[in-house]
């Protein structure tokens, strides 16, 4: 809640300075919040990382421009890749936030429908600073599950730290697919 207040407060400060457009914030939840202030004032907003499919509504978000595809399109591609390679087992790691939870729910539903096995399911904390992320135990749990296909649903800021730890655990070698 504190972060939400700071985000909206930052937008109000920008408006008081006469801003005519906004780039950001990064995540879908914050974009939804800030657009609630910007759109009624007809101030355009560019959202570089917002992927929530709800943001596609031109009626609800007429002054919003997204630069990334929505989650539902990315999810369809994930299913196509999974099916193309005839994979039936995997592990999942998601962030403990709206983005990770939505991806998790969606993929679990698809896996259930198609009879796929989730050998390990790990959710990592979401610290304020990505360099504080500690996923070593999450990755050890995945490695011990013998899963070799790993689906990662996390915000982009955490990915380098997750892959560095996966590299240290030799989980980026032959035999693994992320």
């Amino acid at each position: 809640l504190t972060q939400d207040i700071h985000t909206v407060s930052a937008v109000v400060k920008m408006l008081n300075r006469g801003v005519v457009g906004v780039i950001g914030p990064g995540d879908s939840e914050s974009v939804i919040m800030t657009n609630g202030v910007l759109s009624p004032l007809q101030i355009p907003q560019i959202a570089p990382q917002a992927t929530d499919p709800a943001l596609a509504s031109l009626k609800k978000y007429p002054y919003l421009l997204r630069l990334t595809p929505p989650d539902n399109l990315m999810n369809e591609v994930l299913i196509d890749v999974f099916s193309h390679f005839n994979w039936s087992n995997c592990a999942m790691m998601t962030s403990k936030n709206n983005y990770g939870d939505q991806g998790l729910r969606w993929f679990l539903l698809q896996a259930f429908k198609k009879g796929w096995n989730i050998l390990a399911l790990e959710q990592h904390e979401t610290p304020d600073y990505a360099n504080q992320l500690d996923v070593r135990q999450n990755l050890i749990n995945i490695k011990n599950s013998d899963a070799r296909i790993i689906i990662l649903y996390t915000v982009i800021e955490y990915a380098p730290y997750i892959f560095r730890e996966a590299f240290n655990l030799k989980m980026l070698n032959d035999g693994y697919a992320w």
Side-chain angles (χ1 to χ4, degrees):
L1 182 62
T2 303
Q3 184 62 35
D4 297 346
I5 293 168
H6 288 301
T7 302
V8 172
S9 176
V11 169
V12 171
K13 285 179 186 175
M14 287 187 284
L15 292 173
N16 288 335
R17 292 185 187 142
V19 73
V20 295
V22 173
I23 299 175
D27 64 283
S28 295
E29 290 175 85
S30 297
V31 168
I32 290 168
M33 233 182 327
T34 55
N35 197 266
V37 175
L38 296 169
S39 213
L41 299 172
Q42 299 179 347
I43 294 176
Q45 180 178 21
I46 298 173
Q49 298 174 11
T51 59
D52 190 324
L55 293 169
S57 170
L58 289 176
K59 238 180 188 178
K60 195 169 182 180
Y61 303 100
Y63 294 92
L64 179 66
L65 173 64
R66 293 186 307 165
L67 301 181
T68 54
D71 290 330
N72 56 336
L73 180 59
M74 292 188 291
N75 291 336
E76 289 174 26
V77 171
L78 177 61
I79 291 298
D80 288 346
V81 168
F82 212 88
S83 297
H84 174 79
F85 287 105
N86 293 315
W87 293 334
S88 58
N89 298 311
C90 68
M92 283 189 78
M93 177 183 270
T94 69
S95 48
K96 284 185 182 178
N97 60 11
N98 188 46
Y99 179 73
D101 290 343
Q102 284 185 12
L104 171 64
R105 280 193 302 271
W106 181 86
F107 191 81
L108 288 177
L109 178 62
Q110 297 306 312
F112 177 75
K113 286 179 181 178
K114 296 185 179 287
W116 298 337
N117 301 307
I118 310 296
L119 301 177
L121 176 55
E122 293 290 323
Q123 286 195 290
H124 68 76
E125 297 298 328
T126 55
D128 290 337
Y129 301 99
N131 64 354
Q132 297 173 337
L133 183 66
D134 181 8
V135 293
R136 184 171 182 77
Q137 189 58 54
N138 300 95
L139 291 172
I140 288 171
N141 293 344
I142 289 173
K143 187 173 186 176
N144 289 340
S145 77
D146 290 329
R148 293 299 175 256
I149 310 303
I150 303 165
I151 297 168
L152 179 62
Y153 250 98
T154 191
V155 292
I156 193 78
E157 292 83 6
Y158 298 130
Y161 299 95
I162 293 169
F163 286 122
R164 182 182 66 210
E165 193 61 48
F167 175 81
N168 292 338
L169 293 170
K170 298 183 178 11
M171 293 175 71
L172 298 181
N173 298 346
D174 287 344
Y176 283 94
W178 286 76

